[in-house]
Each structure stands twice: as structure tokens, then as C-alpha cells.
DNA sequence: CGAGGCCTTGAGTGTCCTCAAGTCGCGTGG
DNA sequence: CCACGCGACTTGAGGACACTCAAGGCCTCG
């Protein structure tokens, strides 16, 4: 069975946060770790639907998600909206704000969430003292760039069903990394939100899900999703380039 | 008239590079500037079609484009290809490589280009000594994230003609910043490459260009493009959400 | 002057969107 | 406890937009 909590027993603020993940590939001594912990403050619980930051807000901190699920979205002048990502426990959000000291997207809780705040100025300061931390920050920023470019590939070149398969496989993998089942999980977002993320309409998402189910690749009922055949889903991608 | 070279007379390696742009918002003393210059080495000329780095190459440096035009593209397992960006003089490329010490896309010269190389380890080292430089690097990384997310919005929610209008306006603005004409310029890329970037087929790009021309918003003949009505192009975007 | 790449344009098709109707599930209040 | 209402979801029918395939013209460069 999969355990419901990935880490066994870590005590500091940073560690009990999934922030240990943030720090994991970094070789920091306990003392250095403590200094990092020192930066980080736990903000309270964000209830389902509440907003961590909005486009236009002054940028001051990165946020590490301890528990729960977020979405980030951009809003156009003309009211168009695009979900740019779904973030889960152990991931960092807010990096869009660094470039102009102003957030450029909204971050909305998709369920009740616990959040850690990392003041960015102080993180930069500490980064200057701890090169591995500095390097790690750069990696995180770069990883976000690579992630976004892969979504561009998805949006630019895949058909509806491929996009959905890629999306489900991505979720599956991220759950697996966290010690949850990679084949059975709850979708935290609406069809509409999935559609916005994948550049599709909600009806198309619904139809594609139904179609994958007809093909016995998944079972889906409301928000609960079961992947019946991971290789089959992978094979969906690239069946026929667009 | 617009001058053909934006900067008037700056002497150091870094400054003659459009790297002054990299450093512009940073308050660095001359001595500090010189240290930054010291990092940077001019690599020779990259001829049209030559490759600066490939997906899979070891990441060692960022590159500043002194002159010329690049494209970056990802290639899927199944041979699918997506142009992720067009970069012009004064812009920095290679940031995709930081996250895994390996480049994740190809960078290809679209015309003869001059390049400056900035070894990343040394840039990080210097960043620890010069906080404004560190901050600037973070801004550049974040700006790339914001840029990518705006392309996601484009790919996810705009129709063909809107995408093309947005693309042309983006080019226009970047030329303007560099002191070139915002309304009359050469396209350095093929219709196929524009299409890949915008998630369209080359025929669709061609048709959309023709249509914008019919509407007297642009003049296009081969690679030379003239924008007849900037506000008109802007109005194209958001006419009708998808 | 010829070859080849790039581009344009047309005709037909397919995928996804739009609009619409109806079901399901959940929370609220009677 | 059940009725109600609302939002989320599914499914169908029809249409629009972008894709595919194809033919032909233009420009560049050898």
C-alpha cells in the first residue's frame, strides 16, 4: 500500500513543510538548514477558493505549499483566462513576481491548503552565504521555465485526447513522487479548469475523458480518477501528430 | 529616422555586447562592471543555420546575443517539434539548462549571429558578491517564466489571426526598444517556424497574413513586413474570445 | 538558366467549438 | 428528512475554423 504521508518524521518548520523537498538536493548542514528554517514562516490555512496572491499584488515572497492544491491563472485585458498550472504539496509558487516586483497571475486554493512563506529578499541574502542554496533556487526557477515550455509543446502540437493523456500522466507521476498512488487519485479541479489549462472547452474535456474510459484506459466518475493502463495512456500521446 | 545601431559608444566587451542591457537596471560601479565584463567572452560568429547548443548538451553557460536572431525549439520523442521562442540582440538564452545541468532545447541561428558566453558558475560566484547582479539574474529568469506563460495564454485561448497579430506586435515592440523601426522590419524565420511557434500550420500562417493585408493592417511581401496600423492590429486581439 | 526551397491559394475534410437539453451530486433550508 | 436549487458534468447536433492535400508561382543561389 501507499502511505498517506511521504516523509516519516522530520521536525523543523521547514522539514515538516514539504520544504524538505525544496532543500533535498542541497547539501546543507543542520545549522545551515536551521537558518533556512528561520526564514520560513507558516501562514495559516487557506480555505478552498481563497486567494494567496492576485495579479498586481506586490511581490514579496515565494510560497511553499505544505498541503493542498492550488491553481495559477492569468487574466487578459479582454477577460480571457488561462490556467497556467496546478501546484501540489511540496511545490513552490510565486516566481512570476520576481521580474517586476509584481505578481502577474492569481494563485487560488482548490482545497484547504497550508502554506509556508519565504520572504524573497531574505532568501537572496541567505543564498549569497550558502552557494548550494543559491544554486538550488536557480534550479527551481529554471525548472519552471522547462515546465512551461513543455506545456507550450502540448498546447502547440497535441490533439485533445493527447493533451488529456499527458495531463493525467503528469498528475500521476507527481502523486507517485509524493508517495501516493499513481493510478488512483482525486481531481481537485473542475472540467472547466482542466480545459483552460489544456486549451480546450469543458465539453471537449468531458468527451475526451469518456472516450479514454470507453477504451478501458481509465475509470472516471466525477472527480475520482483511476488509471487502468499507464502504458496505454502513454501510447495515446504521439499516435498521430497534429 | 531610426538609427540602425541602438547604443552610441560603449567600449568594454560587455558594453559593446547588448549586454549593457543585461546590466542596465543594475547599479554597478565601473569596477564592478569590469568584473562582469571579465566573465564574458566573445564566441565567434554563428553562421545562419548553425547550432549554439542542442538538447542534451551539458549546460555550462548562458549566452547573450550581440547581433542576430535565434530560435529555440524542443523536440519530442515522437519527432514533434515546437519553436519555444525567437531571440534577438540583447537577449539571453540558455536558461533552460540550469535545472538539470543539461540543455532541454536546441538553439539555432536564423541569420549570422555574434554571441557572448557567460560561464554560469562564475556568474553565480559574482552574484554572491554583487547583490544587484544576483537580483538581476533572478529577474531575467522570472521574466522568462512570465514570457512563457503569456505564450501559454496565446496558445490556449486565441484564434489564428489573433495569434499572428500578437506575434507581430511583440516583434514590433522589441524592435522599437532596440531603436529600430517598430513598423517596418524583416521576418527572420519561415512561415513554418512562425507556425510552430504559434501552434499553427504554415498554410494557416500564410492565410492569416494575407487576410491582415486585405484588411490594410499590414503589408507583407516575402520576409519583409510593414505594419500599417498598430491600433488596428491591437484591436484584432480579443475581437472574439475562443 | 535550372533546381529547390519557400510561399500562396484552393478545395475538401476533420476536430473541436457552440448551443442546448438533461442528469447527477451536494448543500441548504423548509 | 426530504425538497429544492445550483453548480458541475455529460451527451447530442450542427457549424466554424484550422488542417490536409494538391497545384502552381516566386525568389534565391548555384
Amino acid at each position: 500500500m501507499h502511505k498517506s504521508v511521504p516523509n516519516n518524521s522530520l521536525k523543523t518548520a521547514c522539514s515538516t513543510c514539504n520544504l524538505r523537498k525544496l532543500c533535498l538536493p542541497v547539501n546543507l548542514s543542520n545549522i545551515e538548514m536551521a537558518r533556512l528554517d528561520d526564514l520560513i514562516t507558516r501562514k495559516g490555512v487557506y480555505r478552498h477558493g481563497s486567494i494567496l496572491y492576485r495579479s498586481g499584488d506586490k511581490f514579496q515572497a515565494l510560497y511553499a505549499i505544505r498541503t493542498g492544491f492550488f491553481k495559477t491563472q492569468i487574466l487578459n485585458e479582454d477577460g480571457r483566462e488561462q490556467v497556467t498550472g496546478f501546484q501540489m504539496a511540496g511545490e513552490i509558487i510565486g516566481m512570476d513576481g520576481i521580474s517586476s516586483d509584481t505578481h502577474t497571475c492569481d494563485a487560488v486554493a482548490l482545497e484547504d491548503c497550508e502554506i509556508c512563506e519565504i520572504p524573497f529578499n531574505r532568501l537572496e541574502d541567505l543564498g549569497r552565504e550558502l552557494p548550494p542554496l543559491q544554486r538550488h533556487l536557480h534550479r527551481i526557477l529554471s525548472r519552471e521555465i522547462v515546465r512551461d515550455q513543455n506545456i507550450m509543446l502540448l498546447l502547440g502540437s497535441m490533439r485533445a485526447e493527447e493533451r488529456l493523456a499527458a495531463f493525467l500522466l503528469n498528475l500521476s507521476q507527481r502523486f507517485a513522487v509524493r508517495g501516493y498512488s499513481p493510478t488512483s487519485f482525486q481531481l481537485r479541479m473542475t472540467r472547466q479548469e482542466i480545459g483552460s489549462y489544456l486549451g480546450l472547452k469543458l465539453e471537449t474535456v468531458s468527451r475526451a475523458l469518456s472516450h479514454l474510459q470507453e477504451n478501458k484506459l481509465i475509470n472516471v466518475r466525477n472527480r475520482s480518477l483511476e488509471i487502468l493502463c499507464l502504458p496505454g495512456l502513454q501510447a495515446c500521446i504521439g499516435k498521430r501528430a497534429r
Side-chain angles (χ1 to χ4, degrees), chain A:
Chain A
M1 280 303 289
H2 290 273
K3 49 196 154 51
S4 61
V5 175
N7 298 333
N8 12 30
S9 66
L10 300 165
K11 295 191 202 86
T12 64
C14 172
S15 311
T16 53
C17 283
N18 284 276
L19 277 188
R20 178 61 84 175
K21 279 219 169 55
L22 166 65
C23 314
L24 209 65
V26 181
N27 287 325
L28 292 182
S29 71
N30 285 340
I31 292 176
E32 291 166 342
M33 222 23 220
R35 295 189 63 191
L36 179 55
D37 279 4
D38 216 38
L39 288 191
I40 296 168
T41 59
R42 283 168 67 159
K43 298 190 83 171
V45 170
Y46 278 79
R47 295 242 156 258
H48 179 280
S50 63
I51 293 175
L52 180 56
Y53 58 82
R54 271 179 212 279
S55 178
D57 284 359
K58 180 152 177 56
F59 167 74
Q60 286 170 323
L62 300 180
Y63 303 94
I65 303 175
R66 287 192 69 217
T67 61
F69 225 96
F70 270 83
K71 69 170 175 180
T72 48
Q73 57 185 10
I74 340 180
L75 280 122
N76 225 14
E77 312 69 82
D78 46 309
R80 231 178 307 221
E81 158 184 328
Q82 171 81 25
V83 172
T84 55
F86 298 108
Q87 295 82 17
M88 56 175 75
E91 295 175 335
I92 307 288
I93 60 179
M95 295 173 278
D96 55 280
I98 301 170
S99 75
S100 59
D101 279 325
T102 303
H103 284 290
T104 58
C105 64
D106 304 343
V108 183
L110 293 180
E111 57 182 348
D112 295 356
C113 292
E114 293 174 276
I115 292 297
C116 285
E117 187 178 84
I118 313 167
F120 191 65
N121 287 337
R122 295 186 60 198
L123 182 62
E124 280 186 322
D125 293 345
L126 193 56
R128 287 200 299 279
E129 295 184 49
L130 308 176
L133 179 63
Q134 177 197 31
R135 167 55 61 106
H136 194 62
L137 173 60
H138 295 160
R139 280 187 205 278
I140 289 174
L141 288 164
S142 173
R143 194 184 307 155
E144 181 68 20
I145 292 171
V146 172
R147 187 189 75 88
D148 290 349
Q149 293 186 346
N150 281 314
I151 302 172
M152 287 170 58
L153 175 67
L154 177 145
L155 290 172
S157 73
M158 292 186 186
R159 2 188 103 263
E161 206 168 299
E162 293 181 277
R163 294 184 200 190
L164 204 54
F167 171 66
L168 295 177
L169 287 168
N170 175 266
L171 282 182
S172 165
Q173 197 200 337
R174 286 154 74 200
F175 280 123
V177 167
R178 284 159 182 75
Y180 298 104
S181 168
T183 53
S184 183
F185 47 86
Q186 294 289 316
L187 300 171
R188 298 300 178 182
M189 66 296 283
T190 66
R191 304 286 191 265
Q192 147 71 33
E193 286 161 341
I194 296 173
S196 170
Y197 181 61
L198 299 178
L200 303 168
K201 290 293 157 187
L202 70 94
E203 296 95 329
T204 307
V205 172
S206 180
R207 274 185 251 270
L209 282 173
S210 300
H211 191 234
L212 289 175
Q213 188 164 29
E214 279 171 32
N215 291 346
K216 305 256 189 291
L217 296 177
I218 63 170
N219 256 331
V220 58
R221 177 170 171 73
N222 305 323
R223 302 283 178 94
S224 55
L225 192 126
E226 189 185 358
I227 297 178
L228 300 176
C229 178
L230 278 169
L233 264 191
Q234 276 146 3
C236 270
I237 303 171
K239 274 254 180 71
R240 186 173 30 155
R242 190 173 173 186

